[in-house]
């Protein structure tokens, strides 16, 4: 299943140097440990890392990179391993940089709505830490990913429609470059809300998937935690009517915080997995944030009318936290619910994103494609953004099945690109989407990306074989 | 006052080549024309351009750049000339690329809330074009700047607090690189709301001030035009109390669309210039957007209570469009009102931005500094972002005066940097802020910016002598 790559022998001779930087406990070549860091939550199986290094501070990251840079050793940064495109798996061995142990209490600048976190801090742990401040960090990809990992993949999730993606919510980054140099993209200890001072280095690293530098600190925008919530669940006769309702809602400027579409197959999977009891048809999950319960009740009336005028069959709303929590738990568990349709399968997730005017037709064609090719797959989407996933439980050891799945993925991406969209809205390119990048961005943009890669990492030691080969 | 630089002779021999690309009417060396393109709205006087070229399409921009690239001729892109930091003035002659005549009817994708514009399209002309769609483009720096120019300087303005700056509102860019290659940062004809496909080339060009490429099309996010507006004007005993009110408002999550602070000197200047009659003391101008008048009335009550509890002396609010228009016109004319304090003076504007918790103290110290050094200057700020300007009418031919002004600017930037802020929130580095960049971002970040510049423009023909030398 895994192979031990040749590079591991080359790396063996540097273990004493790494131990000098990290201590004996920070360097591991145990097979059980290597296995832990050999894959993410996607379906990719490639090679074991040669060694797992666990730095605990920026200086250690820098010192490790200096050794690797001097000796041309590949370095693959690894956060929580919750990615889906193989962005943090080793494609041919190398140094796995385990950043989970690089933890520090988040710094919080309350009056500024700002927090700075180290790579070991996850989304949920940050929000737990912020609990008593009345503030929160909204970007929510579902998994309890590390914040710095979310920066690296340009993550977003269910409430990007209201609060934006990572790109809109990072103010500054501390980054260690390939040669070990440390920099702060906006300068050390700076967190103005905006700046026009020189190039946007922050955004250059957001979504760079570990290929341009190692992110060792992220300074984030926080938001006041809303005091009132309401949620609605609303089923539709088909995805067309559901998507039309979404477009109209957005046009009215209703400040929806989350708006998620589950197709009938996904709803059935969630019913079974999460023990809920929804009508099995295309369904919108919506959430609204506000400061006054009355405002939310008024909004809900507008939303209900609009859904009904688009053929909605059931509309249930609630401002009762417990009921809402169950619903959103079911939505967050959609990935695992889909996997449970074929026990033992690994998750293959697509991630196209199209302009919202094209969403309904692209989803409808995709559902038809799944049926015609007898592929088990659910559709779930952040429809306010035009981003949706097909989640397919696959058996990666079956080459015939994988061929069918890859062909499906090719057709889906082709459809998205034809509809002015992208092959990845939030998961990143990683290993899985490399073949689509040229067609999507064009030769000149791809060449510019390569130029940037070579300018920042001329020895190509950072996460080799990802994004573009 | 101006000199004709030596490079003009070198360029003279290429005029026939430029005429072949642009026709005779697209190439001008008339002194009256050169003068028009020799300065922006700031105080910089440097050299005349050697020639003004007026391309009307992307291919012409590309062909011009090929000639310039092959022959090492400097190229300075020029939009509406409404910048304040000299970013589009020629520092030593060269080819001024006048992009005002590159106009095309904006493409509007209504259901997607998206529009694509060419460089000749200004902010107001776009919004005029969108009038019947119920949509608008919100970024509003005051001047009627070209949208592509606003991309180049990473502009923002009065309502960034609600809608974000250019960085949050550009989905795709068409760019011509130094060697004439054309690319689309997100791929041709693509406008998904978000994407994680490869590096963020879009953001690399936002704020690059013409030094990395020439922006020939910007694809923008639009927003539903709010159906109800309300505005409030509220005076405070001092800037501390005004700034404290702002922080509390933000903490409450009141969705304010604009929140602007004018100090007492600016209020007096506006009274005189715009014939309004405000109490002469630090004043907040606020605007709120909504879909229901009742919501706005409720919000206004919250805001009023909060202002009064912070010592506000007068609070006037209105939902009457005409009255509001006058007030915002006065705010937008603040720059000219300040200039009118010394007839004949040119505008020297500072642009620091600090975390909001430090805003009150930095403004108070700055006001004291102005008084102690007998400098005529007004303070006006986008306080929701922590960004404020000191607008000083100056006589640039008086070296003693300019020395005093530059020393003041140095102290102000020093104060902002010490308060975790930036030397420029929205005007860009241009010529005026180059000396502050290293201290702000640090040597390694500055070096990385240089590396990027060299990677994209190895011959350094694009807007030479700007951002960093």
């Amino acid at each position: 299943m895994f192979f031990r790559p040749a590079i591991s022998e080359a790396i063996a001779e540097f273990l004493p140097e790494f131990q000098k930087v990290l201590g004996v406990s920070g360097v591991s070549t145990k097979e059980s440990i290597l296995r832990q860091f050999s894959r993410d939550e996607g379906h990719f199986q490639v090679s074991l890392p040669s060694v797992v290094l666990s730095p605990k501070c920026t200086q250690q990251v820098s010192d490790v990179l200096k050794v690797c840079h001097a000796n041309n050793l590949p370095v693959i940064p690894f956060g929580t391993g919750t990615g889906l495109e193989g962005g943090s798996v080793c494609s041919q061995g190398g140094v796995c940089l385990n950043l989970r142990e690089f933890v520090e209490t988040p710094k919080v600048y309350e009056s500024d709505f700002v927090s700075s976190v180290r790579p070991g801090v996850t989304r949920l742990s940050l929000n737990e830490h912020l609990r008593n401040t009345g503030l929160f960090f909204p970007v929510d990809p579902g998994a309890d990913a590390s914040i710095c990992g979310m920066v690296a993949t340009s993550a977003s999730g269910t409430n990007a429609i209201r609060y934006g993606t990572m790109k809109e919510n990072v103010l500054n980054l501390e980054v260690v470059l390939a040669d070990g140099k440390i920099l702060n993209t906006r300068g050390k200890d700076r967190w103005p809300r905006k700046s026009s001072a020189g190039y946007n280095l922050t955004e250059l690293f957001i979504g760079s998937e570990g290929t341009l530098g190692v992110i060792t600190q992220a300074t984030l925008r926080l938001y006041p935690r809303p005091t009132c919530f309401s949620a609605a669940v609303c089923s539709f006769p088909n995805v067309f009517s559901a998507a039309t309702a979404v477009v109209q809602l957005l046009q009215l400027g209703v400040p929806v915080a989350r708006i998620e579409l589950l197709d009938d197959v996904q709803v059935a999977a969630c019913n079974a997995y999460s023990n809920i009891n929804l009508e099995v048809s295309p369904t919108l999950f919506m959430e609204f944030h506000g400061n006054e319960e009355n405002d939310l009740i008024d909004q809900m009336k507008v939303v209900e009318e609009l859904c009904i005028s688009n053929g909605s069959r059931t509309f249930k709303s609630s401002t009762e936290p417990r009921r809402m929590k169950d619903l959103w738990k079911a939505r967050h568990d959609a990935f695992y619910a889909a996997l449970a349709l074929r026990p033992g399968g690994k998750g293959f997730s697509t991630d196209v994103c199209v302009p919202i005017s094209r969403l309904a037709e692209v989803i409808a064609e995709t559902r038809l494609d799944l049926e015609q090719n007898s592929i088990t797959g659910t559709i779930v989407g952040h429809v306010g953004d035009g981003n949706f996933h097909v989640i397919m439980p696959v058996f990666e050891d079956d080459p015939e099945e994988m061929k069918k799945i890859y062909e499906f993925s090719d057709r889906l991406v082709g459809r998205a690109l034809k509809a002015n969209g992208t092959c990845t809205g939030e998961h990143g390119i990683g290993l899985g989407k490399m073949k689509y990048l040229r067609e999507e961005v064009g030769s000149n943009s791809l060449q510019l990306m390569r130029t940037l890669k070579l300018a920042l990492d001329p020895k190509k030691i950072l996460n080799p074989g990802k994004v573009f080969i």
Side-chain angles (χ1 to χ4, degrees), chain A:
Chain A
M1 189 166 165
F2 288 115
F3 70 96
R4 266 208 181 243
I7 198 156
S8 300
E9 281 171 38
I11 287 177
E13 71 173 283
F14 299 101
L15 297 182
E17 271 196 70
F18 292 135
Q19 286 175 350
K20 209 152 62 182
V21 175
L22 303 169
V24 176
S25 67
V27 179
S28 179
T29 53
K30 262 197 212 154
E31 181 157 337
S32 61
I33 302 286
L34 301 185
R35 280 188 178 278
Q36 278 178 40
F37 290 91
S38 66
R39 66 184 302 163
D40 61 11
E41 292 198 3
H43 64 284
F44 298 95
Q45 54 172 10
V46 199
S47 89
L48 290 180
S50 311
V51 60
V52 174
L53 302 184
S54 304
K56 291 188 166 65
C57 66
T58 305
Q59 194 54 54
Q60 287 183 347
V61 173
S62 168
D63 289 344
V64 164
L65 279 168
K66 280 178 194 157
V67 174
C68 295
H69 190 255
N71 300 289
N72 298 302
L73 308 180
V75 181
I76 299 89
F78 199 104
T80 49
T82 44
L84 291 168
E85 293 296 350
S88 53
V89 313
C90 295
S91 41
Q92 293 182 60
V95 171
C96 172
L97 206 60
N98 164 32
L99 293 155
R100 287 184 203 172
E101 295 179 23
F102 184 168
V103 194
E104 225 176 58
T105 307
K107 287 178 203 139
V108 182
Y109 309 102
E110 264 188 66
S111 319
D112 295 327
F113 303 71
V114 166
S115 178
S116 289
V117 299
R118 296 298 187 180
V121 174
T122 66
R123 177 177 75 80
L124 293 178
S125 68
L126 172 61
N127 279 325
E128 177 60 25
H129 183 77
L130 294 170
R131 205 159 40 117
N132 296 324
T133 62
L135 300 171
F136 81 123
F137 181 67
V139 183
D140 173 5
D144 187 22
S146 72
I147 300 278
C148 292
M150 288 163 65
V151 173
T153 50
S154 198
S156 61
T158 53
N159 54 20
I161 180 79
R162 168 109 189 211
Y163 299 98
T165 71
M166 289 309 283
K167 210 162 44 173
E168 289 82 29
N169 289 296
V170 178
L171 296 173
N172 202 345
L173 293 172
E174 183 187 80
V175 177
V176 182
L177 298 179
D179 61 3
K181 269 200 206 83
I182 302 165
L183 60 80
N184 292 272
T185 52
R186 280 281 166 216
K188 196 164 164 56
D189 293 327
R190 306 209 175 284
W191 57 92
R193 179 59 61 97
K194 63 185 189 184
S195 172
S196 289
Y199 302 152
N200 282 318
L201 300 184
T202 310
E203 283 71 19
L204 182 65
F205 290 102
I206 297 176
S208 64
E209 303 191 45
T211 64
L212 297 180
V214 179
I215 296 160
T216 49
Q217 182 170 269
T219 300
L220 309 164
R221 281 185 67 167
L222 305 177
Y223 293 78
R225 198 184 290 272
T227 46
C228 304
F229 298 82
S230 66
V233 176
C234 180
S235 68
F236 288 85
N238 52 57
V239 288
F240 267 96
S241 48
T244 308
V246 172
V247 173
Q248 291 177 2
L249 214 67
L250 297 178
Q251 276 167 338
L252 278 177
V254 177
V256 55
R258 310 189 201 231
I259 185 158
E260 300 280 305
L261 173 71
L262 282 64
D263 81 344
D264 47 352
V265 184
Q266 181 68 62
V267 170
C270 286
N271 279 345
Y273 185 85
S274 299
N275 198 22
I276 53 176
N277 190 20
L278 295 171
E279 185 183 327
V280 178
S281 71
T283 299
L284 290 179
F285 279 44
M286 290 170 272
E287 190 173 294
F288 304 87
H289 296 173
N291 288 323
E292 303 280 343
E293 199 161 317
N294 283 342
D295 293 356
L296 292 181
I297 291 169
D298 289 350
Q299 269 176 25
M300 208 61 91
K301 275 186 211 143
V302 175
V303 174
E304 180 165 8
E305 272 171 36
L306 199 148
C307 287
I308 288 171
S309 76
N310 279 290
S312 160
R313 298 191 290 207
T314 61
F315 185 93
K316 287 182 201 151
S317 64
S318 169
T319 50
E320 206 267 288
R322 165 134 211 105
R323 165 89 185 134
M324 280 170 35
K325 214 174 157 186
D326 290 347
L327 285 176
W328 284 107
K329 180 78 172 59
R331 164 61 192 92
H332 272 151
D333 286 342
F335 183 72
Y336 305 104
L339 292 195
L341 294 175
R342 290 180 78 195
K346 295 283 176 192
F348 187 115
S349 172
T350 69
D351 182 35
V352 300
C353 182
V354 297
I356 187 137
S357 64
R358 310 297 297 275
L359 185 65
E361 69 183 83
V362 173
I363 289 184
E365 285 170 26
T366 301
R367 172 43 66 205
L368 193 68
D369 190 339
L370 287 168
E371 305 303 335
Q372 284 174 342
N373 291 284
S374 308
I375 297 171
T376 301
T378 67
I379 293 180
V380 54
H382 314 311
V383 281
D385 298 323
N387 183 204
F388 73 91
H389 309 298
V390 182
I391 307 172
M392 294 167 284
V394 298
F395 289 95
E396 50 202 353
D397 293 334
D398 178 346
E400 211 159 304
E401 168 166 332
M402 291 312 288
K403 182 166 174 285
K404 195 165 76 167
I405 299 288
Y406 281 119
E407 285 169 358
F408 166 80
S409 168
D410 292 348
R411 288 192 300 277
L412 172 58
V413 170
R415 220 172 277 139
L417 294 185
K418 220 171 124 191
N420 314 108
T422 173
C423 69
T424 174
E426 58 182 17
H427 294 167
I429 293 288
L431 284 170
K433 302 284 190 286
M434 287 196 295
K435 60 178 167 176
Y436 306 126
L437 191 58
R438 178 184 297 274
E439 186 183 344
E440 176 165 334
V441 301
S443 301
N444 287 346
S445 287
L446 190 67
Q447 193 184 325
L448 177 52
M449 291 182 194
R450 280 186 207 281
T451 301
L452 295 174
K453 167 69 179 175
L454 280 179
L456 269 80
D457 179 20
K459 292 183 160 193
K460 298 205 264 188
I461 63 165
L462 289 175
N463 212 3
K466 309 290 168 59
V467 186
F468 34 71
I469 305 168

